Amino acid sequence: MTTSKEEALLEPKKHVIFGNDFPSVFEECNSMILASIIVYGVVDLRRLAKMGVLKGCGIQELEELPISAAAIVRLVAQNREALFDQIGEGSTELYLEAFDSLVEQDAFELDYNVETGETFLASFDVVQVGDEHSESELVHDISVNTSQKQITVAFRGCTTHADWRTSANPFLSSHTNPVMLEHCEDGDEVKYNCCLSDEPKKVSVHDGFYNYLFRPAQHDQGINKYDTILKSLVSLQKQYPGYHIYITGHSLGGALSTVFSFFAAASGIFRDPITCIPIASPMVGNLSFEEAFKSLEKQGRLRCLRITNHVDIFTQLPDRGALLYASYYW
């Protein structure tokens, strides 16, 4: 028999899970795929601008931010040759094909918003870019979509040697399950919530992905990327009340989005659920991690849709037979 105090601890916060204020699944996936493409382009364009070889309109907006997705697509088209020459064909070929598809499908005219009079790409603004020390640290951007009321963090996929080394690390590291922790209103960790007896006390996460997010950064007074991004999201939600938080990324970016979403949703900071839509992500945790992740979904603190191609071997790595990685069922 449980006491009233135990019942209160067991009762999750009230979250909006299936509210009408969320876009359709197609709209959500469409915007997250776009965000996962845009982050590649905006970071490389900023590199060209620093080199002094970028041409076209919107260079000042690119450097100072915000800049619309429509402007980014135009700049990529105008600087395609420079991207090949300065960044390298191997690093740009795949995402440039994705940018080409946006132009071929006349994406500038898609999803016209009657209320704002804006096209989808014009209402999608990149407001922050985390590309400092991009050769040795993870890279991300944050965008605001006024037509769908989304604040989106997009993590870039494998591009640098550091990215590939991070992905190639096959080991798991054990961590306290954040779902088991009680939190004050400011999100500070206090102690185990012993009433959640079904929750695993420990979860194991891909060591490379975890460290990419949580190791001290080379700037920002050593604050890790996770805390830096979390602080930005809290600030942007105050600036854009009623907007939902989305986390996405392609490949390595998809893995980082999964790990980030898990810890952010468990932090107790956000009232509404975080939506995670990883694209072509490798596996990131063991069976305990999967169990804890799904617990957050059941509590309405996290929504997740994993997008994969069934013939993509990268999404089935690392080998779960050897390291007990979880398979995904979202």
Side-chain angles (χ1 to χ4, degrees):
M1 182 175 179
T2 59
T3 66
S4 58
K5 181 179 179 181
E6 289 173 333
E7 289 173 348
L9 289 170
L10 284 167
E11 184 179 357
K13 291 183 178 179
K14 295 185 182 300
H15 296 275
V16 179
I17 306 177
F18 302 110
N20 294 327
D21 53 345
F22 283 102
S24 69
V25 172
F26 174 80
E27 289 172 328
E28 289 182 313
C29 291
N30 188 42
S31 60
M32 292 305 103
I33 290 172
L34 174 63
S36 297
I37 296 170
I38 289 293
V39 67
Y40 285 99
V42 71
V43 171
D44 283 348
L45 289 173
R46 283 164 61 89
R47 286 184 63 187
L48 293 185
K50 291 176 182 177
M51 296 175 187
V53 298
L54 187 68
K55 62 182 181 181
C57 298
I59 297 177
Q60 183 176 354
E61 290 85 352
L62 180 69
E63 294 177 325
E64 298 177 1
L65 302 175
I67 182 171
S68 73
I72 294 169
V73 171
R74 282 193 292 267
L75 282 170
V76 167
Q78 294 168 349
N79 292 274
R80 188 185 184 92
E81 186 175 338
L83 287 166
F84 271 134
D85 294 341
Q86 301 296 328
I87 308 299
E89 184 175 348
S91 298
T92 59
E93 184 176 11
L94 289 177
Y95 84 73
L96 286 177
E97 290 180 7
F99 271 94
D100 289 343
S101 71
L102 291 176
V103 177
E104 290 171 4
Q105 295 172 22
D106 199 18
F108 291 101
E109 301 302 323
L110 290 178
D111 297 310
Y112 181 79
N113 188 303
V114 178
E115 294 181 3
T116 64
E118 295 177 313
T119 60
F120 180 71
L121 287 182
S123 65
F124 183 112
D125 289 337
V126 175
V127 297
Q128 294 182 24
V129 179
D131 56 356
E132 304 88 352
H133 303 284
S134 60
E135 293 301 313
S136 58
E137 297 180 350
L138 70 83
V139 171
H140 75 282
D141 70 17
I142 303 180
S143 59
V144 173
N145 184 336
T146 54
S147 67
Q148 294 188 7
K149 295 187 176 182
Q150 296 169 334
I151 300 169
T152 301
V153 178
F155 292 97
R156 189 182 67 176
C158 283
T159 301
T160 66
H161 291 301
D163 293 337
W164 287 108
R165 285 196 301 270
T166 294
S167 296
N169 180 349
F171 298 106
L172 290 161
S173 55
S174 180
H175 306 277
T176 299
N177 179 4
V179 183
M180 281 286 294
L181 296 172
E182 294 179 32
H183 299 270
C184 294
E185 290 186 0
D186 62 0
D188 290 339
E189 297 173 1
V190 181
K191 60 182 180 179
Y192 277 116
N193 185 342
C194 298
C195 295
L196 297 177
S197 57
D198 293 335
E199 291 288 340
K201 288 189 176 182
K202 295 286 185 178
V203 296
S204 293
V205 183
H206 185 288
D207 193 52
F209 304 149
Y210 182 89
N211 284 328
Y212 230 19
L213 277 168
F214 288 97
R215 74 185 182 199
Q218 297 178 21
H219 64 291
D220 246 355
Q221 300 179 331
I223 300 174
N224 61 51
K225 291 283 189 175
Y226 171 84
D227 287 334
T228 298
I229 298 169
L230 203 66
K231 183 178 178 181
S232 295
L233 290 177
V234 171
S235 176
L236 284 168
Q237 259 206 329
K238 292 178 181 177
Q239 187 177 347
Y240 296 94
Y243 280 44
H244 293 298
I245 292 175
Y246 285 74
I247 316 294
T248 191
H250 166 256
S251 184
L252 165 65
L256 294 171
S257 70
T258 305
V259 178
F260 179 91
S261 298
F262 172 71
F263 283 96
S267 70
I269 292 175
F270 303 103
R271 177 188 175 276
D272 292 330
I274 290 175
T275 300
C276 176
I277 303 184
I279 300 165
S281 168
M283 291 181 284
V284 304
N286 68 348
L287 296 175
S288 294
F289 174 84
E290 178 186 13
E291 183 181 342
F293 196 104
K294 289 183 176 181
S295 175
L296 289 172
E297 290 182 297
K298 292 175 182 177
Q299 294 176 40
R301 298 159 73 178
L302 181 60
R303 306 166 69 237
C304 185
L305 176 65
R306 185 173 186 254
I307 301 176
T308 64
N309 185 323
H310 72 97
V311 296
D312 184 358
I313 187 64
F314 191 67
T315 63
Q316 302 172 44
L317 296 174
D319 179 71
R320 64 177 178 266
L323 294 174
L324 294 180
Y325 274 75
S327 181
Y328 288 86
Y329 300 96
W330 299 313

